[in-house]
Amino acid sequence: MDEAVRIAFEAGLPYTGLRGFTPDERLWALVDPDWARRERVVPVLVIGDRLQVAAADPEPDLSALADAFGGVDVVIAPADEIAAVLAELGGAAEGDDGPEDDGRPRRVGELLAQHGVTTQDAIAAALAEQERTGALLGDILLARGAVSEEELLDVLAEHFALPRLDLAGADPQPQAVALMPEQLQRRLRCVPIADDEDAVYIAVGDPLGDRALALLDDAVAPREPRCFLAGRDEVDALLAAHHAGTWAAQVVHRAPEPADPAGAVRVGAAVLAAATVAGLLLAPSATAVALAGLGALLTAGSALAALAAALAGVARRPP
């Protein structure tokens, strides 16, 4: 598990990724650049009178902000990503007025092209197929080999502001997995990894929409769901590892009951009797002929069965 994720889990703090994140000059104006570099802290956003900062350490020295805000909330981010943001601090803090629109593309296809992981021609062909089939653009590009899963995950993580999580060797906490119904985990393709008093940390194989997030909110309430984007195969492997027994039990429970020969005979007899009565009422002559023929067949069958039994008895008699 990533070091920053481990620190966040152990400290009971949220985790965020800063890949592609650039605070605007208004955020940088709220903090002392020298302090930010020294404490390895990046301002993320302001909500009301509270400032949220990303830090590599769960307990940075926040005394410099004591009088400026009603409170400061810390989230954990990877140290290398914090360093990359701080490396741009000089230019951002100088107050260089840029356009209000940062120019970053908002669609996944545009992001993939901008990152150079695929071509505009590949995206155009995938969009045409999406129009025809309704499949997800990322799935189409993966199936065509236009992008790798790692490249797609990186772009989706940036596009949906989701931190990435590598599940290789991950061992979800059993009490966290038990917090969410197995059916919901399978439906949303997600696995709870860990939990604390405030939040449940959940690995998802796909970015979730508002409706799915509302289901997560209800499932783990009163705690908050905090999602990490992981590879689909990794999520599926954890789902299988933790729920294989439940799935097997469901298959056994749903298996058809063994056939009841006696019951089948009774049902057949009832159907034959009903058909006979209907036939006598609607076509008495034809039904009488059919019954006579059936009686002859049954008589012949009984005689043949008796003959076979007699021959078998002779064959078994000692010489």
Side-chain angles (χ1 to χ4, degrees):
M1 182 175 290
D2 185 86
E3 178 68 11
V5 175
R6 183 191 64 77
I7 292 173
F9 284 170
E10 292 180 354
L13 293 174
Y15 170 93
T16 189
L18 296 180
R19 188 176 301 173
F21 174 74
T22 302
D24 63 31
E25 62 274 8
R26 291 168 295 179
L27 280 172
W28 282 127
L30 298 175
V31 302
D32 178 4
D34 291 335
W35 168 81
R37 292 190 185 94
R38 183 177 66 251
E39 297 297 325
R40 295 189 300 166
V41 168
V42 171
V44 177
L45 55 86
V46 176
I47 302 177
D49 64 346
R50 300 186 68 85
L51 173 67
Q52 184 183 87
V53 298
D57 186 277
E59 296 182 357
D61 180 3
L62 303 176
S63 58
L65 305 175
D67 298 329
F69 301 95
V72 180
D73 301 312
V74 177
V75 299
I76 299 299
D80 59 335
E81 295 181 13
I82 288 179
V85 176
L86 289 174
E88 302 176 2
L89 175 57
E94 291 173 359
D96 180 21
D97 292 333
E100 290 186 11
D101 183 358
D102 60 11
R104 287 182 294 178
R106 302 303 177 190
R107 295 182 181 275
V108 173
E110 294 173 357
L111 280 168
L112 289 168
Q114 187 187 64
H115 283 257
V117 298
T118 190
T119 65
Q120 291 289 357
D121 289 343
I123 293 171
L127 286 172
E129 183 172 337
Q130 183 184 46
E131 183 71 21
R132 186 176 66 257
T133 64
L136 295 175
L137 182 66
D139 290 347
I140 296 171
L141 291 168
L142 279 175
R144 289 167 171 247
V147 297
S148 69
E149 185 179 40
E150 282 300 311
E151 292 169 336
L152 180 61
L153 285 174
D154 285 342
V155 171
L156 290 176
E158 176 181 333
H159 186 63
F160 292 97
L162 283 172
R164 281 285 313 277
L165 184 61
D166 183 0
L167 294 180
D171 186 15
Q173 298 173 355
Q175 76 273 12
V177 177
L179 290 173
M180 187 184 302
E182 175 269 332
Q183 296 92 334
L184 185 60
Q185 294 181 37
R186 184 159 24 108
R187 175 181 173 185
L188 300 184
R189 206 175 203 162
C190 66
V191 181
I193 301 296
D195 70 300
D196 56 30
E197 294 181 356
D198 300 317
V200 179
Y201 302 92
I202 303 168
V204 298
D206 296 290
L208 302 180
D210 292 340
R211 188 172 182 180
L213 289 173
L215 292 174
L216 283 189
D217 284 334
D218 292 340
V220 302
R223 284 179 275 193
E224 175 188 355
R226 294 177 182 167
C227 296
F228 303 79
L229 187 62
R232 288 181 175 182
D233 291 344
E234 295 176 343
V235 173
D236 290 343
L238 284 185
L239 283 172
H242 284 269
H243 300 298
T246 301
W247 297 347
Q250 290 175 349
V251 171
V252 172
H253 178 70
R254 293 172 184 171
E257 294 293 331
D260 179 5
V265 171
R266 288 194 295 270
V267 171
V271 171
L272 180 60
T276 301
V277 171
L280 290 173
L281 291 175
L282 298 176
S285 299
T287 303
V289 172
L291 288 175
L294 179 61
L297 288 173
L298 291 175
T299 301
S302 299
L304 289 173
L307 178 60
L311 291 174
V314 170
R316 288 194 300 268
R317 186 175 302 165

